[in-house]
Amino acid sequence: MPKQIQLKGRIFLTFNIQAVTGLHIGGSETGIEIGGVDKVVIRDPITNRPYIPGSSLKGKMRSLLEKYRGLSLNRNIGGTAIHSCDQSEEYQQCDICQVFGVPGEMNFATPTRLVVRDVHLTDESARILTEQAHTDLPYTEVKTEVSIDRVTSAANPRRMERVPAGAIFGPAELVYSVYEGKDGYASIADPKKDVERFRALVEGLQLLEDDYLGGSGSRGSGKVRLQGIRVSVRSGEKKYLEAPQKVKEYDDLSALESDLLNLLREVTSVLGLA
């Protein structure tokens, strides 16, 4: 009997991301002029506004969760060591690899549960930064830092571009898929376990709020806060063309965490898994 995977539904998590401190997510530094900024932010090529790439958000959450759970960093991808399960038995028990994915060549792999969209600067924040903040560059400030040579005491200034504190990006959209699957007679994807693994995603978001996003976090940049969290579900049982059903709304992440058990129960019910 061949491997079989069925989509049972999707959980949509949307929210805004507020930059509590200046935010620097680096972009291409080609074409920098003499006397210009050393480290520029990534921008949307059409609007020229800074944005948060989904890869940055997803990668940061995975990295923080791997450290939080003490997982082995056994695979090198582009010079970065990450955790990746090598055996099917280990993979079946690993929340991180199930949610964030493993390399496609692994014959035991099932679909990656989590999709993270790019997050763009809101129109209101763009207006405020343009009309009221009068920033150094379009929508951004320039922060100058100075390193000191320990021998000569010579100062080495460097200039970094940041999105100012208070700016809001959104709505962010995280799409979490729930699967049921078999390989022969053995289960390789349990939809109830997938719903339970949603906890790992919430943990990753809390770790992110306590850490930083982007560069220079140890020097003050990158603190973010989630606002206006909305959870909705689209059932895969012959109802996929219907609009997602709103399940819960929360002002912030702490409110969601306090109600997480009830949230998972309701999601399970909407997906028809109760």
Side-chain angles (χ1 to χ4, degrees), residues 58 94-101 112-114 176 197 200:
K58 184 179 180 182
C94 181
D95 294 341
I96 307 307
C97 287
Q98 295 265 347
V99 172
F100 292 88
T112 300
R113 304 309 194 264
L114 180 63
Y176 184 89
R197 286 193 174 101

Side-chain angles (χ1 to χ4, degrees), residues 31 63 84 90 107 114 137 160 184 199 215 220 236 252 256 259 261:
S63 172
S84 178
E90 180 188 13
N107 58 12
L114 180 63
L137 297 170
M160 179 177 68
R199 289 175 180 274
D252 52 34
L256 187 156
D259 192 48
L261 184 58

